[in-house]
Amino acid sequence: MVTPLLYALVSGFKSTEQLSSNAFGLPDPWVTSNYTSLLGSGPFWRAVGSSTVIALATAVLTVGAAALAAYALARFAFRGRELLFTLFTMGLMFPFAVAILPLFVLLRSFGLLDNPWGVILPQAAFGLPITIVILRGFFREIPGELEEAATIDGCSSFGFFWRILLPLARPALGTVSVLAIVGSWNNFLLPLLVFSEPTWWTIPVGIQQFQGQYASDVARIFAYLVLAMAPALAFYAVAERQLIGGITLGATKG
C-alpha cells in the first residue's frame, strides 16, 4: 500500500523527462518547483478550503441527524422500530451511482447546483445508514439503570441524550465523524455533478481539472496528487486509533 504513495512522492520531485528516462530511480536533480508552485497556487488552496468546509459540514449534519435517529431506535420501544432500522440498513446496499440522474434533477429543481449544499445534503443522506448502525449499537450498550437514575433526578429524555449519552458516546461519535470527513474528502462524482464553476471545486475535481490542463506534465500531476492526499492521510493517521477503537467498542458486552 505504501509503494504507490512513495512512487508518487518521489515522482513529484522529477521532471517529465526524468520520468520518461528513469521512471523508478531517484530524481537527478531534485525538482522542488513542482511542489512549491502548487503550494503557492490560489486554485489549489481554494480547492482545499472547499473540501474542508464541505467535509466538516457533512460530518456535523450526518452525525447530528444520525445520533438523534440512533437514540430513538436504540432507547425507545415503538411499533415498527425494527422495520425502520431495517430500512436504514438497506441504504448500505444502495449504490450512489444509481441515484445520479434523479439526484441531479432534484438538485436542479431546488436550485442547489453550483451550491455547496447540493453536495453536503446528499452526502449526509448517504452517510446516515452506516452512522446510524454504529451509533445504535453503541447506544444500546449504555445501561438502562443509568437512564432510570437520570429520570428520577428529573432529567428529560432529551436531557439524558444531551447531557449523559453523548458524552459517553464520544468514541463512537469520533469514529463516525472520521468516516464522514474522509468519505466527503474523497468524493469525486457528486462534486463533479454539482459544480460547474471553479469556485467550489473540491480536491478530487481539482485533480481531474488539473490533469486535463497539464496532461503533458506528468511530474507536476504527481505532485498535485501527493499534496491532495496529504491532508486526508494525515487526518486518518491521527484519528486511526479513534476509528478502530470506536468501531470495536460496542462489539462485545461487559
Side-chain angles (χ1 to χ4, degrees):
M1 293 174 62
V2 176
T3 302
L5 300 179
L6 291 177
Y7 179 77
L9 176 65
V10 174
S11 297
F13 285 103
K14 297 181 179 180
S15 63
T16 302
E17 292 76 14
Q18 290 185 51
L19 280 174
S20 301
S21 59
N22 185 20
F24 297 100
L26 292 176
D28 185 24
W30 291 71
V31 181
T32 59
S33 59
N34 290 333
Y35 288 99
T36 56
S37 62
L38 288 172
L39 290 175
S41 170
F44 172 77
W45 288 110
R46 184 169 60 240
V48 171
S50 298
S51 290
T52 302
V53 170
I54 291 173
L56 292 177
T58 299
V60 170
L61 188 59
T62 303
V63 175
L68 290 169
Y71 174 55
L73 293 170
R75 311 296 296 191
F76 292 94
F78 56 90
R79 182 177 299 177
R81 182 182 68 172
E82 295 305 319
L83 176 61
L84 185 60
F85 179 68
T86 301
L87 290 177
F88 276 115
T89 56
M90 288 175 63
L92 296 171
M93 301 180 290
F94 188 76
F96 175 77
V98 174
I100 282 297
L101 182 57
L103 184 59
F104 177 81
V105 174
L106 187 65
L107 293 176
R108 184 177 60 184
S109 64
F110 280 102
L112 291 178
L113 296 180
D114 282 318
N115 188 317
W117 287 107
V119 175
I120 295 169
L121 293 175
Q123 284 186 160
F126 279 91
L128 282 178
I130 183 62
T131 308
I132 290 176
V133 168
I134 293 175
L135 291 181
R136 184 186 189 236
F138 186 89
F139 289 166
R140 295 184 73 175
E141 299 297 324
I142 303 298
E145 292 80 4
L146 187 62
E147 187 173 2
E148 293 174 2
T151 303
I152 293 174
D153 289 339
C155 189
S156 64
S157 296
F158 183 77
F160 172 75
F161 168 75
W162 183 256
R163 298 176 182 176
I164 300 175
L165 196 62
L166 287 185
L168 290 175
R170 285 178 183 173
L173 294 175
T175 297
V176 294
S177 298
V178 171
L179 292 175
I181 290 174
V182 174
S184 173
W185 187 275
N186 293 329
N187 194 352
F188 168 72
L189 189 57
L190 184 59
L192 181 66
L193 176 74
V194 173
F195 299 135
S196 59
E197 299 295 328
T199 305
W200 282 99
W201 279 351
T202 57
I203 281 291
V205 178
I207 292 173
Q208 189 253 359
Q209 299 294 331
F210 188 86
Q211 184 176 359
Q213 184 178 358
Y214 295 94
S216 59
D217 196 348
V218 182
R220 183 174 292 189
I221 294 174
F222 272 119
Y224 197 108
L225 288 172
V226 171
L227 292 177
M229 288 187 295
L233 290 174
F235 175 75
Y236 188 84
V238 171
E240 179 186 7
R241 181 176 300 178
Q242 179 72 50
L243 177 65
I244 303 302
I247 290 178
T248 59
L249 193 59
T252 58
K253 288 186 177 182

